């Protein structure tokens, strides 16, 4: 079929009328579209809930979606084949630089929540997990000079704070902020970052946020790789229309939500979302077992020359390292409903889905922020019980080897990592560990453990860890 004869997507044809905007989303990436947009469409009252979604750094995704009225195809990719569904819950796609439109929408009484997938690095966490305003100096200067009305705010949180100021002005009432990023306690992290940023600009706004903004935490799960040209061609071939922005995801999906929505929310539970009082066990299960394993594979796998998650898992050295890490993490995951053996069995199958080409380089980004939540808690828990934590420290060792090899590292602390890399041996390892989690590099036994594990994933490695089973990963006891 030639491109000019193929129709595009349009709402009348697919029978998906536009719902009114009641949700504003920041971070119009692949994951938002495969997850929240899907759940909203499948909520029992989904027809009443429209999402206005803003991009982060570039207008491209907004322009492409706006040209097809917000519609896009979700390609659900299992090991056996693909299924296609048009998603219509995004009713407005906006360039994130359009701060005026963001202010307008957030200050409207009909808008009841702002949801976020802005990546872990965007929350300004330092190596102690506290909010560090130093990365927001440019936005704070804009806020101070133009009271947020200018169009040059560059960070998602700076833009959101200016929009919350507009809501205070308009007296539109309380609102929920819902983080859907892979962070421990993501609602609390969002609260600290947004209130901290507001405090640095206008203490009155910070007080208003404390009283009027409800920060909701969620654990989100659906493996969503980047879309390729082949995916675009496949939709045209299989569906008979042209979609410039399909999104690919695995069939599995999960959303656990905890917190208060002062002005309501879609009935996401109709689509399988679960609402709980205590999110932490679910969040640890997902962040440690799935994201921890992903990070381990991202560094170990690339050091071994692999490109995707499924390829890395076929390499016994990577697979054994993941199993060893899972063995440690599972010791610290308790709770009746967690069903760890079944969860791990499902993960093995999800990771092995070779039809999902999930690039290790994408997962590897921003490691200094991610490893503090994925490796360090399990390492600390293992050591507090007198064991070495070698399965968890191997994730840190792989990252430390990986950052030595990268010419252009994508990480919010890339300058500090480059400075640490100029040191040698144990000094270098200690400096890098301290960037992940302050004080970690002060423990000489952890530094020595990580030093012994360096080069485990070198392509020609013959060390026990690279060739044998998980038991060989434990070089010492921590007693
Ligand atoms: N892709 C997945 O499988 C998946 C699954 C669960 C959770 N998540 C969470 O969603 C986040 C986004 O994933 P995605 O796959 O949609 O990524 P993506 O690259 O497709 O989109 C991310 C969005 O955030 C913006 N962004 C990225 N970094 C930014 C920064 N520093 N400042 C401002 N804006 C920035 C981008 O411009 C884009 O709009 C992840 O970081 C993760 O926390 C992703
Ligand atoms: O950028 P990250 O590391 O938070 O996410 C990369 C992947 O691990 C992640 O996207 C998973 O696929 C996802 O968390 C599955 O739900």
């Amino acid at each position: 079929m030639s491109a000019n004869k193929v129709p595009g997507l349009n709402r009348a044809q697919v029978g998906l009328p536009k719902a009114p905007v009641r949700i504003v989303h920041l971070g119009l990436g692949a994951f938002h579209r495969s997850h929240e947009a899907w759940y909203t469409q499948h909520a029992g009252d989904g027809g009443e809930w429209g999402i206005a979604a803003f991009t982060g750094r570039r207008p491209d995704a907004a322009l492409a979606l706006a040209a097809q009225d917000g519609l896009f195809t979700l390609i659900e990719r299992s090991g056996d084949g693909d299924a296609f569904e048009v998603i219509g819950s995004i009713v407005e796609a906006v360039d994130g630089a359009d701060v005026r439109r963001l202010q307008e929408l957030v200050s409207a009484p009909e808008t009841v929540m702002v949801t976020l997938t802005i990546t872990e690095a965007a929350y300004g966490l330092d190596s102690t997990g506290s909010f560090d305003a130093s990365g927001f100096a440019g936005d704070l200067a804009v806020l101070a000079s133009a009271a947020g009305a200018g169009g040059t705010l560059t960070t998602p949180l700076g833009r959101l704070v200016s929009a919350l100021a507009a809501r205070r002005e308009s007296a539109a009432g309380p609102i929920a902020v819902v983080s859907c990023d892979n962070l421990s306690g993501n609602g609390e992290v969002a609260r600290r970052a947004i209130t901290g940023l507001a405090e640095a600009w206008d203490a009155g706004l910070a007080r208003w946020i404390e009283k009027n903004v409800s920060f909701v935490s969620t654990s989100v799960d659906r493996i969503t790789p980047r879309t390729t040209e082949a995916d675009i061609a496949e939709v045209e071939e299989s569906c008979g229309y042209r979609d410039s922005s399909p999104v690919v995801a695995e069939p599995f999906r999960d959303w656990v939500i905890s917190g208060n929505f002062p002005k309501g929310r879609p009935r996401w539970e109709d689509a399988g979302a679960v609402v709980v009082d205590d999110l932490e066990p679910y969040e640890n299960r997902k962040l440690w077992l799935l994201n921890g394993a992903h990070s381990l594979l991202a560094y170990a796998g690339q050091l071994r020359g692999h490109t995707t998650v499924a390829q890395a898992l076929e390499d016994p050295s990577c697979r054994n390292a993941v199993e060893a890490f899972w063995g440690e993490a599972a010791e610290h995951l308790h709770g009746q409903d967690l069903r760890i053996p079944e969860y791990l069995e499902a993960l093995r199958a999800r990771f092995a889905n070779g039809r999902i080409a999930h690039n290790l380089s994408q997962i590897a980004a921003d490691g200094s922020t991610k490893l503090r939540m994925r490796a360090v808690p399990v390492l600390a828990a293992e050591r507090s019980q007198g064991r070495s934590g070698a399965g968890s420290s191997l994730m840190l060792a792989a990252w430390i080897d990986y950052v030595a090899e990268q010419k252009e590292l994508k990480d919010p602390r890339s300058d500090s990592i480059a400075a640490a890399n100029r040191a040698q041996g144990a000094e270098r390892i200690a400096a890098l560990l301290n960037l992940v989690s302050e004080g970690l590099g002060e423990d000489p036994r952890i530094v020595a453990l990580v030093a012994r594990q360096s080069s485990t994933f070198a392509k020609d490695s013959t060390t026990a860890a690279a060739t044998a089973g998980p038991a060989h990963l434990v070089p010492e006891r921590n007693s």
Side-chain angles (χ1 to χ4, degrees), residues 107 109 166-174 208 263:
S107 59
R167 189 169 181 97
R168 177 178 60 152
E169 279 296 297
S170 74
W208 182 88
K263 292 182 108 186

Side-chain angles (χ1 to χ4, degrees), residues 37-395:
W38 182 91
Y39 273 93
T40 303
Q41 174 143 318
H42 287 262
D45 55 354
E48 297 164 28
W49 292 87
I51 304 172
F54 288 74
T55 54
R57 283 181 283 216
R58 286 184 302 273
D60 319 21
L63 293 172
L65 266 195
Q68 42 195 56
D69 222 0
L71 297 170
F72 63 91
T73 311
L74 174 67
I75 308 175
E76 198 171 280
R77 182 158 289 166
S78 73
D80 301 329
D82 290 350
F84 306 89
E85 179 183 4
V86 177
I87 304 290
S89 50
I90 297 180
V91 295
E92 192 175 331
V94 194
D95 176 3
D98 190 348
V99 180
R100 246 178 237 290
R101 184 64 185 142
L102 180 68
Q103 291 168 342
E104 235 168 65
L105 285 169
V106 172
S107 59
E110 297 76 24
T111 299
V112 305
M113 74 179 88
V114 178
T115 56
L116 308 173
T117 52
I118 52 179
T119 80
E120 293 86 326
Y123 290 79
L125 292 175
D126 68 12
S127 57
T128 67
S130 306
F131 173 65
D132 174 5
S134 62
F136 298 85
D139 274 7
L140 282 169
V142 175
L143 288 168
S145 68
T152 47
L153 293 166
T154 58
T155 71
L157 294 189
R159 291 167 178 170
L160 178 54
V161 164
S162 85
L164 290 173
R167 189 169 181 97
R168 177 178 60 152
E169 279 296 297
S170 74
I175 190 165
V177 168
V178 186
S179 172
C180 301
D181 280 299
N182 290 324
L183 290 159
S184 316
N186 54 15
E188 195 43 43
V189 169
R191 177 202 303 280
R192 286 201 303 267
I194 291 165
T195 317
L197 199 53
E199 187 79 51
W201 172 36
D202 171 351
L205 176 63
R207 299 293 83 74
W208 182 88
I209 290 174
E210 281 165 6
K211 287 203 187 97
N212 292 280
V213 182
S214 167
F215 290 90
V216 176
S217 288
T218 72
S219 172
V220 293
D221 196 358
R222 187 166 208 181
I223 293 174
T224 308
R226 285 211 176 110
T227 304
T228 65
E229 286 300 322
D231 300 322
I232 295 173
E234 189 200 352
V235 169
E236 186 168 320
E237 182 68 24
S238 307
C239 305
Y241 55 75
R242 174 87 187 157
D243 178 353
S244 69
S245 305
V247 66
V248 177
E250 62 175 342
F252 181 95
R253 59 203 160 242
D254 191 36
W255 199 3
V256 191
I257 301 171
S258 182
N260 179 33
F261 292 81
K263 292 182 108 186
R265 60 165 172 79
R267 283 180 9 220
W268 286 317
E269 55 274 57
D270 297 343
V274 178
V275 179
V276 298
D277 290 332
D278 181 12
L279 186 72
E280 193 179 333
Y282 298 93
E283 156 185 288
N284 286 345
R285 179 180 67 175
K286 196 268 172 168
L287 269 178
W288 296 353
L289 299 181
L290 192 154
N291 296 111
H294 259 178
S295 287
L296 177 48
L297 289 169
Y299 307 119
Q302 289 189 93
L303 289 166
R304 300 274 299 162
H306 307 301
T307 307
T308 66
V309 170
Q311 285 166 1
L313 259 195
E314 281 175 16
D315 180 335
S317 67
C318 296
R319 197 174 55 241
N320 291 338
V322 166
E323 292 287 347
F325 173 69
W326 279 344
E328 290 185 1
E331 289 292 321
H332 310 284
L333 289 166
H334 307 292
Q336 242 182 341
D337 300 328
L338 292 187
R339 300 156 61 95
I340 299 301
E342 291 89 337
Y343 189 88
L344 286 177
E345 211 34 55
L347 262 191
R348 289 183 188 99
R350 292 170 66 194
F351 282 2
N353 179 353
R355 298 190 69 248
I356 295 263
H358 201 178
N359 280 326
L360 297 170
S361 60
Q362 182 185 351
I363 300 167
D366 306 334
S368 71
T369 305
K370 293 173 180 173
L371 295 188
R372 190 169 41 76
M373 291 173 238
R374 300 178 184 188
V376 177
V378 181
L379 176 62
E382 281 291 279
R383 293 185 79 83
S384 74
Q385 295 194 358
R387 295 188 290 271
S388 72
S392 322
S393 63
L394 194 51
M395 194 188 311

